[in-house]
Structure formats: structure tokens, C-alpha cells
């Protein structure tokens, strides 16, 4: 993968990229530098500063600072909740009501490492959601997080009883297949096994809104990736129950 292929916006102070699903934001404890976005950026720029993170299987908009002054500014911007962060997610089932908020504190699971739970003893966490399209089997939802807790959206959607599609930690790891969406689905003559439309977490960091160091407003977006878009397209084609909210 070439860094230039995923850059959305770049200035002297920051670079914003469309992170591919399956890539770590920063190296894991095995220190696989080139398996992480930070590692690739360091190789490309020589020096790079991490401001915020996305889960490995979450795709979408992520910002890195290119110097220490910018790192301090953008870190404070994120910590002070002065960045608007919007996601789009494919969730299981239909949410009622179709617009709402989840205000549930989150903490580490007491016994399962790497997993989070809602618990009043945890850190406060607030997520707003709005259903964009409802298909019965799944819904496409826009989500805004006002806090940045680990796995926040995934935990809050599980709390509502509608986990993100293909979420092995908080829902089910089962991929999304066309045969589950399309009635009378048949494999092609030369195809032995059906390939999934979506085989990773159905969550995408869609948009960041913030003021840069010059006071200019920035709105940066990454379109839905091909795998999530493929599911949405098939749901639109094959779901008689689709309702769409136009924003």
C-alpha cells in the first residue's frame, strides 16, 4: 500500500488519511512497525505524531500531526472535545427510536482482557445515533461520539441490542453473505463457495470537523469503503422494507 493513495488532505501541520480496515493505527506490542499506519507514515515522513486512534478493523478518517506544535494543538483539540467525529455503521436489526443517544459509562471488562462493558463505575461516554436507512435485517446508522472511549460505538450499540455487523467481541463474527439478503440466491456454476460481502467490522470513521491552527474550519470525509457499500447496495436491491432518511 502506498501512503499517497490514502491521503485525503495534507498541510504543513497535519496529514489526514483514509485508514484501510485491518491495519493497526500504532504498532502492537510485537512492534511490527510496517504493519501499522504510524509505522508507514514514519517511513514516509521521517517524523510523525499520533493524535487519536481507530480500531484495527475500523476504516476511515484519521489525523496525524507532522510536528510537535501541531501535535500539542490537535491533541488538545481532541481531548477538549472540540473535534466533531462522525461514523457510519452497519448494525444488526432495526433501531427504535431511529434517533437517540446512549449515555452510558464504559470500563474494562473485569475478567475478559481487551473487552469493554457499560458500567456506572466507568468513564462517562456519550454517543448520538441516527438511522440513515433501515432494511429489517440491518440498518445503516450515522453515529457521533462526544467522548473517545475504547470501543465506544461497539459497546453502546451492543447496549442497545443492535451490535455492529461482524463484531466478534460484542456481537457475532459471522460475515455478511449475499445469500442471507437475496431471496432464491444461487451460486454460480463455476463457484464452489460463496464469498462474503463483508468479513470485518462494519464500522467506518466517516467525517471529522475541526478548526485548524489558522482558525479555518475543516470538514474532511472518507466515503463508505467498497465492502460496506456492497452490503448497503444489496440491501437496497433486495429489501422490500427499506426506509430512507434523507439528511
Amino acid at each position: 500500500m502506498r501512503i499517497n493513495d490514502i491521503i485525503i488532505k495534507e498541510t504543513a501541520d497535519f496529514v489526514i488519511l483514509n485508514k484501510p480496515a485491518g491495519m493497526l493505527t500504532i504498532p502492537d506490542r510485537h512492534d511490527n512497525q510496517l504493519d501499522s499506519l504510524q509505522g508507514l507514515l514514519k517511513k514516509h515522513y521521517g517524523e510523525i505524531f499520533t493524535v487519536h486512534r481507530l480500531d484495527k478493523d475500523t476504516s476511515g478518517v484519521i489525523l496525524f500531526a507532522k510536528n510537535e506544535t501541531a501535535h500539542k494543538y490537535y491533541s488538545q483539540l481532541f481531548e477538549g472535545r472540540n473535534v466533531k467525529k462522525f461514523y457510519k455503521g452497519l448494525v444488526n436489526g432495526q433501531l427504535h427510536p431511529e434517533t437517540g443517544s446512549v449515555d452510558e459509562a464504559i470500563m474494562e471488562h473485569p475478567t475478559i482482557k481487551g473487552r469493554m462493558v457499560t458500567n456506572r463505575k466507568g468513564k462517562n461516554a456519550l454517543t448520538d445515533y441516527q438511522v440513515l436507512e433501515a432494511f429489517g435485517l440491518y440498518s445503516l446508522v450515522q453515529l457521533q461520539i462526544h467522548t473517545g472511549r475504547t470501543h465506544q460505538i461497539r459497546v453502546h450499540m451492543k447496549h442497545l441490542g443492535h451490535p455492529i455487523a461482524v463484531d466478534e467481541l460484542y456481537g457475532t463474527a459471522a460475515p455478511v453473505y449475499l445469500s442471507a439478503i437475496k431471496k432464491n440466491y444461487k451460486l454460480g456454476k463455476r463457484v464452489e463457495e460463496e464469498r462474503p460481502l463483508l468479513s470485518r467490522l462494519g464500522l467506518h470513521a466517516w467525517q471529522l470537523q475541526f478548526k485548524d491552527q489558522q482558525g479555518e474550519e475543516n470538514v474532511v470525509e472518507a466515503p463508505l469503503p467498497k465492502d460496506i457499500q456492497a452490503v448497503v447496495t444489496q440491501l437496497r436491491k433486495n429489501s422490500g422494507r427499506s426506509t430512507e432518511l434523507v439528511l
Side-chain angles (χ1 to χ4, degrees):
M1 185 196 71
R2 296 182 345 147
I3 285 294
N4 288 335
D5 293 339
I6 59 171
I7 290 175
I8 303 171
K9 183 170 186 174
E10 183 174 8
T11 70
D13 295 311
F14 64 79
V15 57
I16 299 176
L17 307 110
N18 183 3
K19 184 183 94 64
M23 176 168 273
L24 293 163
T25 299
I26 63 172
D28 60 17
R29 60 183 178 275
H30 304 298
D31 200 33
N32 297 322
Q33 279 285 342
L34 294 183
D35 289 341
S36 73
L37 201 49
Q38 182 202 67
L40 289 173
L41 287 167
K42 277 187 176 178
K43 186 179 178 185
H44 187 79
Y45 291 104
E47 189 174 44
I48 203 75
F49 300 84
T50 304
V51 175
H52 65 123
R53 303 180 192 182
L54 295 176
D55 290 349
K56 181 181 177 182
D57 286 328
T58 301
S59 54
V61 181
I62 187 166
L63 180 149
F64 286 83
K66 292 170 71 177
N67 54 67
E68 288 185 7
T69 304
H71 182 234
K72 184 178 179 183
Y73 174 82
Y74 289 107
S75 294
Q76 289 177 345
L77 211 62
F78 273 84
E79 287 167 15
R81 300 177 189 172
N82 293 311
V83 178
K84 290 184 178 178
K85 298 171 282 187
F86 293 93
Y87 290 68
K88 288 184 179 179
L90 201 63
V91 307
N92 288 279
Q94 292 199 197
L95 285 80
H96 298 288
E98 291 191 326
T99 302
S101 297
V102 185
D103 189 358
E104 294 286 339
I106 292 174
M107 63 179 276
E108 289 184 15
H109 195 287
T111 57
I112 304 174
K113 191 174 182 181
R115 189 165 175 167
M116 312 299 286
V117 290
T118 53
N119 189 297
R120 63 176 182 227
K121 293 179 182 176
K123 295 179 179 178
N124 69 303
L126 177 62
T127 304
D128 296 334
Y129 70 87
Q130 179 169 11
V131 176
L132 301 177
E133 295 182 71
F135 305 101
L137 197 59
Y138 298 98
S139 298
L140 180 65
V141 181
Q142 179 175 297
L143 305 122
Q144 181 180 7
I145 55 172
H146 298 276
T147 46
R149 307 303 174 208
T150 301
H151 298 173
Q152 179 172 323
I153 289 174
R154 299 164 67 183
V155 173
H156 277 172
M157 290 299 100
K158 174 184 169 61
H159 179 80
L160 290 180
H162 298 281
I164 300 289
V166 201
D167 189 342
E168 62 182 354
L169 270 184
Y170 303 103
T172 171
V176 179
Y177 289 96
L178 180 56
S179 56
I181 298 170
K182 187 176 181 180
K183 290 179 181 177
N184 306 317
Y185 171 82
K186 291 178 183 176
L187 273 176
K189 287 181 180 178
R190 296 182 181 177
V191 181
E192 291 182 9
E193 190 177 9
E194 184 184 3
R195 293 178 63 184
L197 294 172
L198 181 69
S199 55
R200 57 94 176 183
L201 185 71
L203 186 60
H204 177 69
W206 170 59
Q207 186 186 87
L208 288 179
Q209 298 179 17
F210 62 92
K211 273 189 180 177
D212 62 25
Q213 288 154 278
Q214 289 71 42
E216 293 288 320
E217 285 285 355
N218 287 258
V219 179
V220 185
E221 294 178 3
L224 274 181
K226 289 179 180 178
D227 52 2
I228 297 178
Q229 186 60 59
V231 177
V232 172
T233 299
Q234 290 299 332
L235 286 165
R236 285 174 182 156
K237 279 183 184 177
N238 295 289
S239 175
R241 298 173 60 190
S242 172
T243 58
E244 182 173 356
L245 295 179
V246 180
L247 294 182

